[in-house]
Amino acid sequence: SGAAAKLAAETALAGETGGETETKWVQWATGGQAYGVDESEAILFRAAYGMSESDKDPETGRTVPGSKKQNTLELAEEWMPWLTDEELRYLMSGFWTEKK
């Protein structure tokens, strides 16, 4: 039924977001139309972020600053080569604040 499907979706989302059903990332994923970003692109970008890892400096073992961001952008570009700079800026806003 519709109620069962809604409950299942909310339960799955709560598991993904630590118990919140309406989160900032959901608002971000559904709010990109003005920037030309649809929900499927936002979900793919989130998956790229989740799959990307930071690079480690082989000498120190420390995380290379900005490497997760770079690896995420490279994967997103591979999956969605049609994204414009404006669309990428919007997608990135869900994970990083833009440096002024």
Side-chain angles (χ1 to χ4, degrees), residues 18-74:
E20 299 178 31
T21 56
E22 183 64 20
T23 63
K24 289 181 182 180
W25 89 261
V26 172
Q27 292 170 358
W28 161 83
T30 59
Q33 293 83 10
Y35 300 90
V37 175
D38 66 34
E39 292 171 18
S40 62
E41 290 168 332
I43 290 167
L44 281 173
F45 192 87
R46 181 177 167 87
Y49 178 84
M51 293 176 66
S52 295
E53 296 181 359
S54 298
D55 296 330
K56 303 287 184 193
D57 182 313
E59 292 182 18
T60 65
R62 292 186 163 179
T63 298
V64 176
S67 59
K68 181 166 176 91
K69 181 178 182 179
Q70 185 61 41
N71 292 339
T72 299
L73 291 174
E74 287 174 7

